[in-house]
Amino acid sequence: MTAEHTTITSAPRPQDTHTPPTRGPLGRLIGVSLGPGDPGLITRAAWAQLQRTDAVWTYPARSTKTPSYAFDIVQRAGLAPPATHQTLLFPMTHDGDKLARAWMRAADTVLPWLQAGQDVLFLVEGDASTYATFGHLARTVRALDARIEVPVIAGVNAFTAACATRGMPLAEQDDTIAIVPAAYGVSAVDRLLPDFDTLVLMKVKPLMDDLIDWLERRGLLPNTQFIERVGAPDERCVAGTDLPALRGTKVSYLSLMVVKNPHRIRGERIKGCLKKTLPAASTASVVDQPLSDEPELAE
């Protein structure tokens, strides 16, 4: 729901700090992560917040004509919204001025509730700290009133849920992982190949055809999974040599690819064991054993 690559620093507007005299406890702006789409992946901590009747729900949408995906998740979970709940609009754009205005409008909407002592839950799909709108809103609110607390309830990321759906590990042992918005372009993604065993390409919609061409050139099609709207009722997975069929088709904004790179040449890794200091009386009873390649955990 955000344009992650635009750097905007929100600041109080001249002669308008929105900070009134202290009149009692302030509310908190709480980022409530809902997981990528399956209501069963809502954590117990998030579920407890959603049971509250004394908090305001807010949730992001791209426009007045586009329903909120986060709100859809809680509806499919069978949860009824509280008496006060509000859509906050965040346009899909990389225009910094438009985004700054949207964040300010959203902050202006929630700030009166917070300053009146009411908690505001901001519902977000996936995890609120990973490519999410919550960070922008939290910074803007705190720029207007630095007293507001902005805790985050962690959630399940789309890429970890996608790997679970496809029955494949995200990483094993010493694997390296890069999580990259595909908007950086194919050339940037290609430069990562020598250093990473797994590439997680987020929000691949604008570059689908280019990415498929690149996967073919690099011989990576058999090692690639495409997952769309993971956890939702209309989740779709396309793998390997079936991926070229997606050329020229429309895919959801909530799409990602997991690319395993079997061609990576690994450099030398540090191996060995941490020595354990044993009591003198028991040293003689220790039987010499071959050292393992796996490092032991310090106690």
Side-chain angles (χ1 to χ4, degrees):
M1 294 302 306
T2 66
E4 296 81 12
H5 318 300
T6 302
T7 302
I8 297 292
T9 302
S10 301
R13 291 167 290 192
Q15 300 179 343
D16 184 11
T17 63
H18 283 254
T19 306
T22 302
R23 291 193 296 269
L26 295 168
R28 298 172 299 161
L29 176 64
I30 305 173
V32 180
S33 307
L34 302 175
D38 180 356
L41 295 180
I42 298 175
T43 66
R44 292 182 65 178
W47 191 268
Q49 289 291 331
L50 295 169
Q51 300 299 310
R52 297 176 56 185
T53 58
D54 61 339
V56 175
W57 282 11
T58 60
Y59 33 85
R62 288 180 288 175
S63 71
T64 55
K65 298 179 180 179
T66 306
S68 168
Y69 188 62
F71 189 57
D72 177 65
I73 294 173
V74 293
Q75 286 185 306
R76 286 190 281 111
L79 296 170
T84 305
H85 58 101
Q86 176 72 49
T87 302
L88 302 178
L89 298 180
F90 298 94
M92 295 293 295
T93 178
H94 290 279
D95 185 315
D97 291 336
K98 289 182 179 179
L99 287 170
R101 288 195 296 270
W103 299 332
M104 187 61 71
R105 283 194 298 269
D108 285 339
T109 299
V110 302
L111 201 55
W113 290 316
L114 296 167
Q115 290 176 336
Q118 194 164 18
D119 283 353
V120 175
L121 311 184
F122 184 79
L123 314 184
V124 57
E125 64 267 20
D127 175 72
S129 63
T130 309
Y131 298 129
T133 312
F134 179 72
H136 300 298
L137 176 60
R139 283 192 297 273
T140 307
V141 166
R142 283 187 52 80
L144 298 174
D145 190 339
R147 302 171 302 162
I148 303 298
E149 296 180 8
V150 289
V152 174
I153 296 175
V156 177
N157 288 299
F159 49 87
T160 53
C163 288
T165 295
R166 302 305 293 163
M168 62 179 176
L170 179 62
E172 294 181 297
Q173 199 172 1
D174 299 319
D175 285 356
T176 54
I177 307 168
I179 302 166
V180 189
Y184 278 110
V186 170
S187 60
V189 173
D190 189 67
R191 289 194 294 271
L192 298 173
L193 275 181
D195 297 318
F196 293 96
D197 298 286
T198 302
L199 300 180
V200 177
L201 306 181
M202 306 292 291
K203 301 172 184 176
V204 297
K205 177 181 178 179
L207 293 176
M208 276 298 297
D209 290 3
D210 292 339
L211 286 171
I212 292 170
D213 292 344
W214 170 73
L215 290 166
E216 286 185 325
R217 289 196 305 272
R218 284 295 195 172
L220 293 170
L221 272 180
N223 309 99
T224 300
Q225 305 270 354
F226 166 86
I227 305 95
E228 179 180 62
R229 295 173 64 87
V230 60
D234 56 349
E235 175 185 302
R236 178 171 61 151
C237 302
V238 182
T241 55
D242 292 331
L243 281 166
L246 294 177
R247 280 196 183 98
T249 65
K250 184 178 180 180
V251 301
S252 170
Y253 168 75
L254 298 171
S255 299
L256 59 86
M257 283 183 178
V258 180
V259 183
K260 293 290 186 177
N261 179 17
H263 311 307
R264 188 171 88 86
I265 300 174
R266 298 189 178 202
E268 183 178 355
R269 287 168 289 170
I270 298 172
K271 298 182 180 181
C273 295
L274 297 177
K275 293 182 179 180
K276 290 186 176 181
T277 303
L278 299 175
S282 62
T283 303
S285 63
V286 176
V287 178
D288 290 337
Q289 295 181 353
L291 292 178
S292 167
D293 282 343
E294 296 296 324
E296 295 180 2
L297 297 178
E299 295 180 348

